Amino acid sequence: MLDENGFKKKTYAELIEEMEAKAREGFGETINLSPRSFLGILIRLYAWFLAIVWQVIEKVYNNSFPGTAEGVSLDRAVRFKGISRNLEEYAYGKVKIRGTPGATIETGFIVGTKNNIYFETTEDAVLDEIGEAIVEIYAEEKGTQGNVAAGEITEILYPDPEVVFEVINLEPTAGGTDRETDTALYTRYQSYPPNKGSSDLEGIQAELLEVPGVRDAIVSQNTSMVEKDGIPPKSIAPFVFGGTDLDVAKAIFGRKSGGIQSFGSTVVEVLDSKNIKHYIGFTRPEIIQIYVRVALTKKANFPSDGIEIVRSQILNYIGGESESGTEYPGLGLKQNVIINQIVWSIIELNIVDDVTVELSTDGVTYASGNITVLDGKVAKTSFDKVVVS
């Protein structure tokens, strides 16, 4: 139940006790409710399924609060304070290359450690008169495994002994991070002050999330002096889902630091207080259209509008427009479509015995597996793409 003290789920034992009391009220105190009686067995069957529903309701309630939310729900909850989960980042550093004087080492030259952690050079380099050059490198894969000690990068993936004799990192590489855990994210949330007025990534994201119509926003950056992941040097790259172009551009301009480029495929002209023009770039996400095919094993209590109820559950999870024109927010940027989430959203309605769900991105090839949504993309569906039978 939900009252001023919060939510408290009913347990399996409590549900049996309540249903037994109701049965005695309707059939008399002498009714046989033992675990082996027909009515006793029926009560326990219903109590078992209802206990699952109460567990789902408790999870939905808990996911409304940062202290008890998990996964994507926690990501959404902490954004009200302007925080987002720290994702994987590439490690970076420098290596000294020794070889034939005057030789050119092209961008993308691959070096690594003895345990197969590889790095690429980020710029062309020409070996000096003594055959040496210091070159910046980035790890090929994101994560802390790219943070290696000095002297560990000694291997060349495709060696040419006549050009390069030796490679070594004189200093440790740094900057590689793993995806932040729920526990670490909530701990940071507890100690993090409101982000009003800050111009860091989280402050810009917080500002964007307050723009009318914006459903999600992620701001990436490149702090290096070379292009990385398609982002120019010393730039931010906002991805914004929803809101008008002008409102989004004004929000970015009002928060970003001076001298930092806001990069993206959409560029909007913004005037400052002196009527000087500034060009603010950001990127709209690529929409991945999701087709859903659902087969139901219906219970006896399946309502006449049950198909529409099920379709609404799916639209509410993924996001999209209903037949009546209602727009469901659904998933945000880079959030995968999880097939079990769809199944449970239907099971919790308690009007079906079984559910089979298949997903497709083209409406032709369907599979009973999750759909991965990459950077800069968002999943979306609509009533006509959700077929329920």
Side-chain angles (χ1 to χ4, degrees):
M1 63 168 55
L2 182 63
D3 55 23
E4 66 274 8
N5 296 315
F7 177 83
K8 183 180 183 299
K9 73 176 181 182
K10 292 184 179 181
T11 65
Y12 174 66
E14 290 171 340
L15 289 166
I16 291 177
E17 183 180 347
E18 289 183 5
M19 286 194 281
E20 285 182 342
K22 198 65 179 177
R24 292 190 182 96
E25 181 183 318
F27 298 108
E29 291 293 328
T30 60
I31 186 70
N32 183 5
L33 300 176
S34 67
R36 294 181 179 273
S37 68
F38 171 77
L39 192 54
I41 293 172
L42 190 62
I43 284 174
R44 282 159 179 79
L45 282 173
Y46 274 108
W48 187 82
F49 283 106
L50 286 173
I52 294 175
V53 173
W54 276 95
Q55 289 174 0
V56 173
I57 295 171
E58 180 186 47
K59 194 172 187 66
V60 171
Y61 176 82
N62 287 339
N63 277 337
S64 301
F65 309 100
T68 49
E70 300 175 340
V72 171
S73 296
L74 178 59
D75 291 343
R76 292 173 175 172
V78 300
R79 285 191 176 183
F80 288 105
K81 203 172 182 180
I83 296 176
S84 60
R85 188 186 299 272
N86 291 326
L87 302 178
E88 302 95 329
E89 291 291 346
Y90 297 100
Y92 57 88
K94 294 180 180 180
V95 291
K96 182 172 78 170
I97 298 176
R98 191 173 68 84
T100 303
T104 298
I105 310 300
E106 295 183 351
T107 301
F109 182 70
I110 301 175
V111 297
T113 66
K114 292 185 181 299
N115 56 344
N116 301 322
I117 300 173
Y118 293 108
F119 300 79
E120 294 183 12
T121 60
T122 63
E123 56 189 346
D124 291 344
V126 178
L127 302 186
D128 61 18
E129 64 276 5
I130 62 172
E132 293 183 353
I134 302 295
V135 188
E136 186 173 336
I137 56 170
Y138 267 85
E140 286 195 331
E141 296 184 4
K142 297 178 180 180
T144 54
Q145 72 275 2
N147 299 328
V148 302
E152 288 195 7
I153 302 176
T154 57
E155 307 299 307
I156 301 170
L157 187 58
Y158 303 111
D160 184 346
E162 295 183 2
V163 177
V164 177
F165 310 150
E166 181 185 43
V167 62
I168 190 169
N169 61 315
L170 302 178
E171 298 179 354
T173 58
T177 59
D178 294 325
R179 186 176 187 272
E180 192 173 21
T181 65
D182 283 355
T183 300
L185 176 56
Y186 179 64
T187 299
R188 187 161 59 90
Y189 170 86
Q190 287 180 299
S191 60
Y192 207 87
N195 236 335
K196 295 293 184 183
S198 66
S199 59
D200 60 11
L201 298 190
E202 291 171 341
I204 298 170
Q205 286 174 175
E207 184 73 18
L208 286 169
L209 290 170
E210 293 182 2
V211 173
V214 170
R215 289 161 55 180
D216 201 3
I218 296 176
V219 183
S220 302
Q221 67 178 347
N222 179 10
T223 59
S224 73
M225 297 303 295
V226 297
E227 181 180 306
K228 189 65 179 175
D229 290 339
I231 305 174
K234 301 298 181 181
S235 298
I236 61 171
F239 282 85
V240 188
F241 185 23
T244 68
D245 287 352
L246 184 57
D247 286 345
V248 169
K250 285 181 176 179
I252 297 170
F253 178 69
R255 280 299 186 92
K256 78 176 186 69
S257 300
I260 298 297
Q261 178 187 1
S262 184
F263 172 77
S265 58
T266 299
V267 179
V268 178
E269 181 184 291
V270 176
L271 299 178
D272 63 18
S273 59
K274 304 293 185 181
N275 285 327
I276 298 174
K277 295 179 181 179
H278 300 267
Y279 296 95
I280 302 299
F282 57 92
T283 300
R284 295 298 192 180
E286 177 186 342
I287 304 296
I288 300 177
Q289 296 293 342
I290 306 298
Y291 296 80
V292 187
R293 193 161 61 188
V294 181
L296 306 175
T297 303
K298 303 170 185 176
K299 287 187 175 183
N301 66 337
F302 192 85
S304 59
D305 60 346
I307 297 295
E308 290 306 314
I309 293 173
V310 170
R311 184 179 282 114
S312 295
Q313 286 289 92
I314 297 169
L315 286 169
N316 185 57
Y317 168 63
I318 299 176
E321 187 174 339
S322 69
E323 192 169 8
S324 63
T326 301
E327 183 71 27
Y328 291 89
L331 298 170
L333 292 167
K334 200 184 172 184
Q335 292 182 356
N336 298 333
V337 183
I338 308 299
I339 207 162
N340 283 341
Q341 294 277 12
I342 299 175
V343 171
W344 273 109
S345 72
I346 299 171
I347 290 292
E348 68 181 1
L349 294 171
N350 200 29
I351 59 175
V352 300
D353 286 322
D354 197 11
V355 182
T356 300
V357 177
E358 294 178 304
L359 302 176
S360 171
T361 56
D362 58 12
V364 177
T365 304
Y366 285 82
S368 54
N370 302 333
I371 292 179
T372 301
V373 180
L374 303 176
D375 286 342
K377 298 183 180 183
V378 66
K380 193 174 183 180
T381 188
S382 58
F383 72 92
D384 57 313
K385 296 180 178 67
V386 180
V387 178
V388 184
S389 60

